[in-house]
Amino acid sequence: QLGLVCPDASASRALIGRLAEAAQECIDWPALLSVAQTARPLAEAGPAFRPSPVPLRIGLARDEAFDADYPAALTELERAGVSWVPFSPMNDARLPDDLNGLWIRGGGTFDPISKVSANRSLAADLSSRVRAGLPLWAEGLGAACLAENARTDGQLLPLWGVLPGTVYRTDRRAGFGYVTLEMDGRTVPAHEYRYWEWEEPQANVWAVKASNG
């Protein structure tokens, strides 16, 4: 899904193997390759990101919970001048020093919200630095942790408090597919794949899904 790779990919490899067997049995490969050979050559793609004029140190959330990787994106950003500085939202007392930004990724192996909540030292440091202007990109679990609180097992647990509101994790995907974000008259095409919901809608931001009809 979108180039996402989690550390334990054994189940995915088994599924890919079964799909390969089905493709071998059901697809007319000589005919497919014959059609493919009539396609025009693809233009060589340029770099995905403009090189930074100065080196950038970006804090990268990485531990047993924040484990979703986009290998191609990480590599392209390294080529553009980014140095990744890993940190653990669950276990580190504070962020690394001298950062130019943060990337707080998602994860899918388990729900670590109680352990994230218990790490109040990192919560205070992260919230303080972001409010002071440190650029931040967060997604999935990382975006959920930006909320003030999480509701889980009948408890209300404090999170990082960067964004207002309370989040909770659903038993099934809460959103999947292409959407258009609408904010203050502007629109941004996007893709969502999430298990988290916000109890209170965020002001002035809406995700609109295209109708199948």
Side-chain angles (χ1 to χ4, degrees):
Q1 180 258 336
L2 300 181
L4 182 64
V5 178
C6 289
D8 183 7
S10 56
S12 298
R13 286 194 292 269
L15 174 60
I16 291 172
R18 293 196 296 272
L19 291 174
E21 292 175 359
Q24 190 67 34
E25 180 179 346
C26 301
I27 295 176
D28 185 343
W29 289 104
L32 180 62
L33 293 174
S34 176
V35 171
Q37 289 171 354
T38 66
R40 299 176 182 175
L42 294 175
E44 184 175 348
F49 303 98
R50 293 193 302 270
S52 171
V54 295
L56 296 174
R57 283 170 49 87
I58 305 298
L60 182 68
R62 174 172 283 169
D63 57 25
E64 59 268 38
F66 295 79
D67 58 4
D69 268 330
Y70 298 88
L74 295 175
T75 299
E76 286 297 326
L77 285 166
E78 286 173 3
R79 291 173 179 166
V82 169
S83 295
W84 299 112
V85 187
F87 70 96
S88 169
M90 293 201 300
N91 303 312
D92 290 348
R94 62 191 306 275
L95 295 174
D97 293 326
D98 301 323
L99 295 179
N100 302 107
L102 287 175
W103 184 358
I104 306 178
R105 307 170 305 160
T109 52
F110 71 102
D111 180 4
I113 210 70
S114 59
K115 193 167 182 181
V116 170
S117 174
N119 191 352
R120 302 316 302 157
S121 174
L122 183 126
D125 186 44
L126 185 147
S127 177
S128 174
R129 294 210 215 174
V130 171
R131 293 180 187 280
L134 182 66
L136 164 70
W137 177 270
E139 54 194 296
L141 172 62
C145 290
L146 298 178
E148 292 175 304
N149 304 290
R151 193 176 301 281
T152 178
D153 297 328
Q155 294 180 294
L156 195 63
L157 302 178
L159 293 176
W160 296 336
V162 175
L163 296 176
T166 299
V167 296
Y168 62 93
R169 183 179 172 89
T170 62
D171 294 331
R172 53 188 300 178
R173 279 198 305 264
F176 176 70
Y178 293 103
V179 297
T180 299
L181 301 181
E182 298 181 354
M183 180 177 63
D184 298 331
R186 294 174 294 170
T187 60
V188 179
H191 183 278
E192 64 174 348
Y193 181 92
R194 58 186 173 84
Y195 283 81
W196 292 89
E197 288 278 23
W198 233 277
E199 286 190 355
E200 303 88 0
Q202 297 303 291
N204 302 324
V205 182
W206 300 93
V208 180
K209 189 180 291 288
S211 170
N212 292 328

